[in-house]
């Protein structure tokens, strides 16, 4: 092999062996947006006064897993009534029952959230903190108890139907807010 041929062969190999190197970068962001959902699992709660003891002592209804919460961080569940009084759908009944006669309380139905505060609150038209959590949760259920008064038989003279119960109603509103 001639030296020129060797030189050209070496130059050809060297040119094909040269690699180019480029670098570029990208910023990757994970953007976590707040999400809070609240589901009431039973659409209607009936508190029935059927015995003398109910009228004297009041009635408490336990609704297991009544509300379910999903929150991407700390949250507060507030509860309030749509009106100051429970009223009858019967236009001849002019009596009312104060929403404040109903106490609502929450308990955790399954695993506990560290640092959570569960309150018992008297129902009124201003949202009151029922559940306060410093951290989020995924589909966490809470049991809710509705307790209606009965002391001094205060509802004895609010019954007006001969064959059916007299029904007084209000809407209970649950709201979740981020902390």
């Amino acid at each position: 092999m001639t030296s020129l041929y060797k030189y050209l062969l070496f130059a050809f190999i060297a040119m094909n062996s040269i690699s180019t190197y480029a670098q570029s970068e990208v910023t990757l962001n994970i953007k976590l947006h707040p999400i809070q959902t609240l589901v009431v699992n039973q659409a209607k709660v009936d508190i029935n006064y059927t015995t003398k003891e109910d009228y004297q002592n009041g009635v408490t209804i336990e609704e297991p897993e009544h509300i379910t919460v999903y929150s991407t961080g700390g949250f507060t569940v507030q509860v309030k009534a749509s009106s100051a009084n429970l009223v009858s759908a019967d236009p001849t009944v002019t009596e009312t029952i104060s929403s404040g006669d109903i106490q609502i309380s929450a308990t955790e139905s399954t695993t506990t959230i560290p640092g959570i505060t569960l309150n018992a609150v008297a129902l009124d038209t201003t949202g009151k903190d029922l559940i306060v959590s410093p951290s989020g949760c995924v589909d966490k259920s809470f049991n809710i108890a509705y307790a209606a008064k009965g002391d001094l038989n205060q509802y004895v003279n609010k019954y007006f139907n001969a064959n059916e119960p007299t029904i007084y109603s209000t809407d209970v509103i649950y709201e979740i807010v981020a902390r």
Side-chain angles (χ1 to χ4, degrees), residues 3 8 15 18 20 27 29 36 47 51 61 63 84 99 107 116-117 120 122 130 146 164 168 172:
S3 63
L8 288 174
M15 287 175 65
I18 297 174
T20 58
T27 301
N29 297 315
Q36 281 82 35
I47 299 175
T51 67
I61 299 298
E63 291 292 339
S99 294
T107 58
I116 196 166
T117 303
L130 182 65
Y146 296 85
E164 299 292 325
Y168 295 86
V172 176

Side-chain angles (χ1 to χ4, degrees), residues 128-151:
K128 293 187 177 177
D129 294 351
L130 182 65
I131 302 167
V132 180
S133 177
S135 57
C137 61
V138 175
D139 296 331
K140 171 80 171 136
S141 293
F142 293 90
N143 306 318
I144 303 296
Y146 296 85
K149 287 186 176 181
D151 56 292

Side-chain angles (χ1 to χ4, degrees), residues 52-96:
K52 176 181 172 184
E53 289 75 22
D54 291 343
Y55 282 92
Q56 290 174 338
N57 304 320
V59 177
T60 299
I61 299 298
E62 302 275 346
E63 291 292 339
E65 299 183 351
H66 189 52
I67 61 174
T68 303
V69 172
Y70 182 102
S71 181
T72 58
F75 63 93
T76 300
V77 173
Q78 296 182 332
V79 63
K80 65 182 177 181
S82 62
S83 62
N85 294 304
L86 285 81
V87 296
S88 176
D90 181 343
T92 65
V93 177
T94 59
E95 291 288 326
T96 64

